[in-house]
Amino acid sequence: EPEVTQTPSHQVTQMGQEVILRCVPISNHLYFYWYRQILGQKVEFLVSFYNNEISEKSEIFDDQFSVERPDGSNFTLKIRSTKLEDSAMYFCASRTTGGGNTIYFGEGSWLTVV
Amino acid sequence: GENVEQHPSTLSVQEGDSAVIKCTYSDSASNYFPWYKQELGKGPQLIIDIRSNVGEKKDQRIAVTLNKTAKHFSLHITETQPEDSAVYFCAATREAAGNKLTFGGGTRVLVKP
């Protein structure tokens, strides 16, 4: 079964450093998402991306965050200057535009900011 | 915006018993309600979903019901097995609005053998 793949699975970074989380969405999907989950809390929407631009973003997704689809397969989330409170599991997700709106999630990238 | 509340936060059941998780939502325009199962260290996996034109949907031991008037929906797992132990999240969205999912707080289900 096709799946969303994410790298790295776990990253530890110093506060203030830049981090790039990578995702390979399912190949025929055209909508891409980033969500995050702080330990023990609910999954929160960060941003959606369609047709090479952000279609919606949450208040969490401030100027420190950016997304990019640098080629035909990757979808990245960059955090420019990490803060302690950015420590969380970050999930990439994707869906097709076709019938049904199932969103498929990756396994997540666990980010620890120290 | 949409707000989804989920109860209970933890649920312990004996193997073979049923488990019921309830969610309420606030946005009457929401029309798509998926349920995800999250095992430790993994991403959410869709287990069942329901759209607002349907009141109930079943898939083997799992069923979901939706009451649009009351704005609540529930997940029912029958004949629970130890492998059903996980965190379950409900979510809601407007399908026409890009599918930004709003999640409930999650229910940690423990099935005791």
Side-chain angles (χ1 to χ4, degrees):
Chain A
E1 183 177 308
E3 57 182 21
V4 177
T5 57
Q6 290 185 240
T7 55
S9 56
H10 187 199
Q11 182 162 352
V12 181
T13 190
Q14 296 277 341
M15 191 168 53
Q17 294 297 303
E18 176 183 284
V19 161
I20 297 176
L21 305 178
R22 292 182 167 79
C23 169
V24 179
I26 295 173
S27 62
N28 64 337
H29 287 190
L30 297 177
Y31 281 92
F32 313 116
Y33 307 85
W34 284 100
Y35 287 77
R36 80 170 185 190
Q37 185 179 29
I38 294 171
L39 189 63
Q41 297 186 23
K42 64 171 68 177
V43 179
E44 301 174 289
F45 169 78
L46 291 179
V47 66
S48 59
F49 191 87
Y50 172 71
N51 201 25
N52 282 320
E53 61 182 20
I54 290 174
S55 51
E56 189 173 359
K57 60 183 180 179
S58 71
E59 61 275 9
I60 302 168
F61 195 88
D62 61 21
D63 292 343
Q64 295 296 319
F65 292 89
S66 63
V67 289
E68 192 178 32
R69 187 155 165 81
D71 53 42
S73 60
N74 290 285
F75 179 53
T76 62
L77 174 69
K78 182 191 290 187
I79 308 174
R80 204 180 335 275
S81 177
T82 50
K83 300 179 284 231
L84 293 176
E85 54 265 38
D86 293 328
S87 294
M89 180 75 94
Y90 288 82
F91 293 109
C92 176
S94 70
R95 73 170 176 94
T96 182
T97 56
N101 283 276
T102 301
I103 296 178
Y104 294 89
F105 284 80
E107 298 268 291
S109 292
W110 181 247
L111 176 65
T112 302
V113 182
V114 297
Chain B
E2 174 68 280
N3 182 49
V4 178
E5 299 290 335
Q6 183 171 346
H7 299 280
S9 56
T10 59
L11 180 59
S12 182
V13 297
Q14 209 63 41
E15 183 178 356
D17 288 350
S18 295
V20 180
I21 303 169
K22 298 182 179 182
C23 289
T24 61
Y25 60 99
S26 61
D27 185 356
S28 55
S30 288
N31 55 10
Y32 175 64
F33 308 92
W35 285 88
Y36 287 85
K37 176 182 180 182
Q38 186 179 29
E39 296 175 335
L40 194 63
K42 296 193 172 185
Q45 298 291 312
L46 180 76
I47 55 172
I48 196 168
D49 55 15
I50 191 167
R51 290 178 168 80
S52 58
N53 58 344
V54 173
E56 183 176 359
K57 184 176 179 180
K58 280 186 181 179
D59 183 4
Q60 299 181 346
R61 296 186 296 108
I62 295 173
V64 58
T65 58
L66 171 65
N67 183 327
K68 284 188 297 183
T69 304
K71 294 205 285 270
H72 66 70
F73 56 114
S74 301
L75 178 73
H76 304 251
I77 307 173
T78 58
E79 300 170 29
T80 53
Q81 300 166 5
E83 53 264 38
D84 294 329
S85 296
V87 178
Y88 292 81
F89 289 97
C90 62
T93 188
R94 301 184 194 184
E95 281 197 307
N99 261 88
K100 179 188 81 173
L101 291 172
T102 300
F103 282 85
T107 298
R108 183 172 301 277
V109 174
L110 176 63
V111 180
K112 295 183 285 187

